[in-house]
Amino acid sequence: MRWMLLGFIFLLVSCRAQSLPPPFDRLEQGAYREVAQGEGFAALWAGSQLLADETLPLKERAEYAFRWADFLERARPFEPGYDRKAAWREAARLLDQAGDPRAVLAYARLLPEEEATRRLLALDRGPTLWERLFQGRAYAALLEVLPPDERPDLRAQVLYRLGRYREALPFYQAWAKREERGLLGLGWTLFRLGRKEEALEAFARYPHPEGLYAQGFVLESQGRLLEAVAAYRRSTPEGLLRAGRILEALGQKEEAARLYLLLGQEDVPFADDALLWAYRLGEEAAREGLRRKGSGLLWLLGEAPPPPGPPPAVPEAPEAPLVRALLGAKRGEWARGVLRYALLERPGDWPALVPLLYEAGAYREGIRAAEGTALAYPRPYRDWVEEEARRYGLEADLLFALLHVESRFDPYAVSPTGAQGLGQFTRATWLDVARMLGEEPGDPFDPHTSIRYAARYLAWLYERCRGFLEPARTACALTAYNGGIGYTLRGVEQEGDLFAFLWRQERDEPREYLEKVLRAYAHYRAFGEGPARPAPSRGGE
C-alpha cells in the first residue's frame, strides 16, 4: 500500500511537471543546474537555488549569485523574499571567496554596512575606493583612508555632512581655490559658523542659481527682506517660493501671485501648489497653468484634469501563453519573473507586458511601467473595494484612487516608516481602526482586511471634516489620511482657512499626496467602470 501511495504521488508530480512549458518543466523536477546553464528568468532563478550547494565549483556559484543580484537590482521587483540587499550580500561573499574582482562592485552596493566597508577597504585602493566610500556614505572609513593632501572636496563634504563645520572649513577653502563649485560649500560652512558676511562674499563669487538662492537665504536670515527677494528672484524654484512668501508677508500679494505664476512653469513638485495659491490670490491665468500640468488640484476648483491617453495598440506579448500556463499551474512567482525579465530586455514592449503583469498580480510594477497612460489605472480587488465603499458611504473611485497612491495595490507594501499593506497603516492607526470596528486587529497584509480598514478610516476622517463644504471636505479627509487628523485640523485653525493651510503647511508629503490622490480620483471617474480585474493572491498562488 505504501509503495502504491508513493507511486501515485510520483505520478502526480510527473504530470504536473509535464504540464509546464520548458524549461519550467525541468525546474519543477529540480534540474536546477541544467536550467541554470540556459538563458532567461528560468536560468537566473535556477542559479539562485544553487548558491548553497557546496558540491558545485565556487566560481560557478559566485557567477549565479552575481547574475541573480544584478537582476534584482535592475528589475526592482516588489515580491516577498526578493531582497536585493540579501542577494548582494550572498554575491559579495561568494565572489570574494572565489577571488572574483566583481566582489568590489557587490560590496559597494552594500555600503555603509560594516562588513562591506571592511572588505572593500581590503580589496580596493586609491581614488576609486574613495569615491565608492563617499557615494556609499561610509564617511568614517573614508576619513581614515583619504590622504590629507588628496581630494579636499571629498573631505570637506564628509565633514560638513557630519556636522563638523569648523574642521570642514580649511578643506572647503582649498577646494574653492581649485574649483568654482567649492565656493558654494564654503559659503554654507561659513554660514553655519555664524560668519554671514563672509558667507555672502563666497556665494557672490558663485554666479549660478544655487549661489543666488544661498545669498537670498542669508539675507533673509539677517532681516534684509527686499534684498533677499531680489536674489531669490534670479535663483532656483525654491528661491521663487521663498520670495513669494516674503512678499505675501509684506502685503505685496499681487506681486507674490505673479511670482507663483512663474514658479508654476517649473518642473518641481510644488509648482501646481503655487498655481493654486496664485489663483486664490486672484490670478485667473493660474487655472490654465493647472490644466497644462494636468494637476489633480484642478478638482478643488470644480474641474477635472484631463485624463491620460491610452497606451499604444500592440499585439499580445509573446510571453502570454507561457505566463498563463505558469499561472494555471500555481507558479505565479515564475510568471512574474518571466515578465520582469522581458520588461528589462524589451522596455519598449511595456504596453503588451503590463496587462500580463496585472494578470499575475504585479500591479505595482505594472503601474510603474505604464505611468502617464490610462493603463496605469487598473481596478484590482474590485468586488471588495466596491463593497466597502458602499458600506461606508464612499465613492468607489475615491477608494481606488487612495489605494493606488498608497500602495499601488501591493498588499505586501511596507514603507520606509513601517506603514503596511494596501492602505499603508502604521501600527497605531491600525489598532485605532480595529477599535472603531469593535474587533481584534486583523492582518494588515490581508487585502480584504486592509481595504475594509481603509474605507472605515477614510469615512471616519470625512466625518471629522464635516465643518467643511465640498470640495474642501474631501481635501481635508485625504490630507488627514496621510498627515493625521490632528495635524490637519490644527493647521487649518492656525491658518484660518483650509487652502491657506494646504499652501503653507510645514510638511511636503501631505501636500503632494493630496494632488496625487485627487488626480487618480479624477482619472478613475473619467474612465468609468474600466476593465474588470481579478483579485488574485499574487497571481494564482
Side-chain angles (χ1 to χ4, degrees):
M1 186 69 180
R2 179 184 176 190
W3 292 108
M4 289 178 63
L5 180 60
L6 289 174
F8 180 67
I9 292 172
F10 177 78
L11 180 63
L12 284 178
V13 171
S14 299
C15 290
R16 182 178 178 187
Q18 290 169 6
S19 71
L20 290 178
F24 292 96
D25 56 344
R26 298 295 292 149
L27 275 187
E28 192 81 343
Q29 295 167 359
Y32 296 150
R33 194 177 188 193
E34 173 193 323
V35 177
Q37 306 304 312
E39 296 180 350
F41 173 76
L44 294 172
W45 189 89
S48 75
Q49 304 304 299
L50 296 169
L51 304 185
D53 186 350
E54 295 186 358
T55 65
L56 299 181
L58 179 58
K59 287 188 176 182
E60 182 179 337
R61 290 188 289 136
E63 182 64 31
Y64 294 151
F66 182 82
R67 290 179 184 178
W68 181 245
D70 180 64
F71 169 70
L72 295 186
E73 186 67 38
R74 292 187 297 125
R76 294 187 172 267
F78 300 104
E79 180 106 19
Y82 279 38
D83 185 336
R84 296 196 306 277
K85 286 288 187 183
W88 280 118
R89 288 186 197 104
E90 186 66 4
R93 183 182 69 82
L94 291 172
L95 291 164
D96 196 355
Q97 290 177 4
D100 191 312
R102 291 175 297 176
V104 169
L105 302 177
Y107 282 127
R109 292 279 187 187
L110 297 168
L111 291 174
E113 292 181 7
E114 184 177 343
E115 177 63 14
T117 302
R118 186 182 69 81
R119 290 304 300 151
L120 201 58
L121 290 172
L123 295 171
D124 204 3
R125 294 286 184 276
T128 58
L129 171 63
W130 307 336
E131 285 287 351
R132 287 184 175 120
L133 293 172
F134 180 73
Q135 296 299 330
R137 304 185 311 282
Y139 297 141
L142 176 56
L143 291 177
E144 287 181 13
V145 300
L146 185 62
D149 56 345
E150 295 279 359
R151 297 298 302 269
D153 57 321
L154 293 183
R155 189 179 294 275
Q157 291 175 84
V158 167
L159 290 169
Y160 186 93
R161 293 177 187 185
L162 294 173
R164 294 158 62 177
Y165 307 119
R166 198 169 302 280
E167 293 175 71
L169 183 57
F171 295 101
Y172 270 119
Q173 290 168 332
W175 182 19
K177 289 178 181 178
R178 298 185 187 183
E179 293 184 73
E180 186 184 62
R181 288 190 306 123
L183 290 166
L184 194 61
L186 174 60
W188 284 116
T189 303
L190 290 164
F191 176 78
R192 291 285 189 178
L193 293 172
R195 296 158 64 172
K196 294 184 178 182
E197 291 302 325
E198 293 175 79
L200 284 173
E201 291 176 14
F203 292 141
R205 292 163 55 201
Y206 189 76
H208 301 286
E210 296 82 3
L212 288 162
Y213 173 84
Q215 288 182 58
F217 192 90
V218 176
L219 290 165
E220 184 181 358
S221 75
Q222 294 177 316
R224 299 157 64 179
L225 299 183
L226 293 180
E227 292 177 79
V229 168
Y232 280 144
R233 281 176 180 273
R234 297 175 291 136
S235 70
T236 63
E238 291 79 4
L240 287 177
L241 175 61
R242 296 188 75 93
R245 288 183 169 169
I246 290 173
L247 290 169
E248 277 195 80
L250 295 174
Q252 300 181 37
K253 294 187 177 181
E254 290 185 6
E255 184 62 23
R258 285 193 284 272
L259 279 187
Y260 296 146
L261 275 180
L262 289 175
L263 179 54
Q265 300 172 19
E266 300 286 344
D267 185 20
V268 291
F270 48 84
D272 50 358
D273 301 284
L275 287 169
L276 178 64
W277 192 241
Y279 182 83
R280 297 280 295 181
L281 293 175
E283 283 286 353
E284 288 290 332
R287 182 188 283 263
E288 183 56 37
L290 287 168
R291 290 189 187 118
R292 285 195 299 271
K293 286 190 173 294
S295 173
L297 297 181
L298 273 171
W299 190 84
L300 298 176
L301 304 181
E303 182 177 339
V314 293
E316 190 169 60
E319 291 82 7
L322 171 59
V323 166
R324 290 182 179 128
L326 291 172
L327 291 175
K330 308 298 183 185
R331 283 297 190 174
E333 177 189 353
W334 289 351
R336 290 186 289 274
V338 167
L339 293 169
R340 290 165 183 141
Y341 187 88
L343 197 56
L344 282 177
E345 293 295 303
R346 309 190 317 274
D349 283 358
W350 66 265
L353 294 168
V354 166
L356 292 171
L357 283 166
Y358 291 163
E359 282 188 45
Y363 288 99
R364 194 170 175 182
E365 292 164 74
I367 291 169
R368 181 174 64 188
E371 196 72 46
T373 73
L375 196 53
Y377 294 91
R379 294 173 184 265
Y381 311 105
R382 170 181 278 180
D383 290 347
W384 294 338
V385 170
E386 293 180 349
E387 173 191 347
E388 299 305 332
R390 282 193 301 272
R391 186 192 311 275
Y392 294 109
L394 302 170
E395 278 191 67
D397 288 331
L398 182 61
L399 190 51
F400 272 121
L402 182 141
L403 298 172
H404 182 284
V405 173
E406 286 289 349
S407 63
R408 295 293 196 261
F409 303 110
D410 179 1
Y412 303 110
V414 178
S415 77
T417 59
Q420 298 175 334
L422 286 174
Q424 286 293 278
F425 284 92
T426 63
R427 181 63 179 167
T429 305
W430 187 258
L431 296 177
D432 286 343
V433 178
R435 281 191 288 271
M436 292 178 196
L437 293 166
E439 64 183 41
E440 289 297 312
D443 178 4
F445 295 111
D446 175 69
H448 193 181
T449 304
S450 192
I451 291 168
R452 185 162 60 89
Y453 277 46
R456 178 66 183 91
Y457 186 47
L458 183 59
W460 179 79
L461 293 170
Y462 193 76
E463 176 61 23
R464 291 293 306 275
C465 294
R466 61 185 176 275
F468 299 96
L469 300 176
E470 290 292 0
R473 187 175 182 181
T474 296
C476 169
L478 292 174
T479 302
Y481 191 100
N482 180 266
I485 189 64
Y487 165 78
T488 302
L489 294 182
R490 283 193 304 272
V492 172
E493 183 179 3
Q494 179 179 332
E495 296 294 342
D497 172 75
L498 176 68
F499 287 92
F501 162 67
L502 294 175
W503 173 235
R504 299 193 185 104
Q505 62 179 307
E506 61 199 41
R507 301 183 199 166
D508 291 332
E509 185 184 351
R511 181 189 302 116
E512 302 310 318
Y513 175 86
L514 175 63
E515 189 280 326
K516 291 175 183 176
V517 177
L518 290 178
R519 178 162 27 104
Y521 175 37
H523 294 343
Y524 275 113
R525 295 187 79 184
F527 298 142
E529 287 300 304
R533 297 289 181 192
S537 56
R538 300 300 290 178
E541 291 177 304

